[in-house]
Amino acid sequence: MDTEEIYFRLKEKVKQDGVLNGEELLELIVLPLTVKGKEAKQELVKNSIELAKCIRDERQMLQALSGIITFTDKVIDKEYAEYVKGVIMMTKVAQLIFDEGIEKGKSAGRKEGIAEGQAQMIYCIRRKYEKGYTAAVISDILEQKIDYVENICKLIEDNPGCTDTEIAKKYMGDGKTASN
């Protein structure tokens, strides 16, 4: 297989259409296995995962990410595998948080529902922040705007005794809104 040609063809297709057909998806999943050497494989795993994250269809994106991790588990370093698993889980969690926030917003009023949804997202941000992740990495993993994550991290840092709900209210009290 011409690894470089396939990678750039898939990259262009994702850039233009945002989705891949079944054959292209399979090519993306096995692409890292087409090069020799652990370092070359690992670099192509990272590039393939970054490309997979750009797929617009969430189901297809998750299928690509899961497939890449499954096929490359012997060559990918543990830390990066955990990062990718976090991306997969946070994509699902972010959707659940959003959906739950909307439901609570209907029953408890829009502002309280948004605050509750924010508090759940802040919980995720706080956990990653306390583990030492930078705001940029957290933003990427949770698929949130960088300025939103930076503001939340600053509020967490400046108000160590506040709960996630209190941080959400402080954030919203500044006239800001959710930044999904």
Side-chain angles (χ1 to χ4, degrees), residues 64-97:
L65 290 170
S66 299
I68 293 166
I69 288 296
T70 300
F71 277 95
T72 61
D73 70 313
K74 301 290 186 229
V75 294
I76 191 169
D77 70 40
K78 187 175 179 177
E79 183 179 302
Y80 195 72
E82 289 302 315
Y83 164 77
V84 175
K85 288 176 187 174
V87 170
I88 292 169
M89 293 308 296
M90 285 311 176
T91 300
K92 293 177 181 180
V93 170
Q95 186 61 49
L96 290 172
I97 289 169

Side-chain angles (χ1 to χ4, degrees), residues 21-159:
N21 65 37
E23 186 177 317
E24 292 165 332
L25 185 60
L26 185 58
E27 285 179 319
L28 178 60
I29 290 170
V30 300
L31 193 62
L33 302 177
T34 64
V35 294
K36 293 184 189 245
K38 188 171 181 173
E39 287 181 22
K41 281 184 185 357
Q42 192 146 330
E43 185 63 30
L44 194 50
V45 166
K46 289 180 180 182
N47 291 341
S48 297
I49 285 173
E50 290 307 310
L51 180 57
K53 286 171 41 181
C54 296
I55 297 173
R56 289 188 193 128
D57 179 80
E58 186 177 339
R59 184 188 60 75
Q60 191 179 68
M61 177 192 61
L62 292 172
Q63 188 177 11
L65 290 170
S66 299
I68 293 166
I69 288 296
T70 300
F71 277 95
T72 61
D73 70 313
K74 301 290 186 229
V75 294
I76 191 169
D77 70 40
K78 187 175 179 177
E79 183 179 302
Y80 195 72
E82 289 302 315
Y83 164 77
V84 175
K85 288 176 187 174
V87 170
I88 292 169
M89 293 308 296
M90 285 311 176
T91 300
K92 293 177 181 180
V93 170
Q95 186 61 49
L96 290 172
I97 289 169
F98 180 75
D99 292 346
E100 190 172 315
I102 287 176
E103 286 304 312
K104 288 185 178 189
K106 288 177 183 176
S107 64
R110 181 170 169 78
K111 190 170 184 175
E112 284 302 311
I114 291 172
E116 189 62 33
Q118 287 269 356
Q120 291 178 21
M121 182 57 71
I122 289 166
Y123 170 78
C124 294
I125 292 170
R126 182 188 302 268
R127 288 192 63 212
K128 296 293 182 199
Y129 185 68
E130 289 173 351
K131 287 182 178 179
Y133 287 88
T134 65
V137 170
I138 296 169
S139 170
D140 189 41
I141 291 172
L142 298 179
E143 299 184 348
Q144 298 294 307
K145 292 181 181 175
I146 184 70
D147 58 338
Y148 169 70
V149 174
E150 287 173 342
N151 286 331
I152 296 301
C153 288
K154 176 123 177 70
L155 283 170
I156 290 168
E157 194 172 299
D158 293 346
N159 303 280

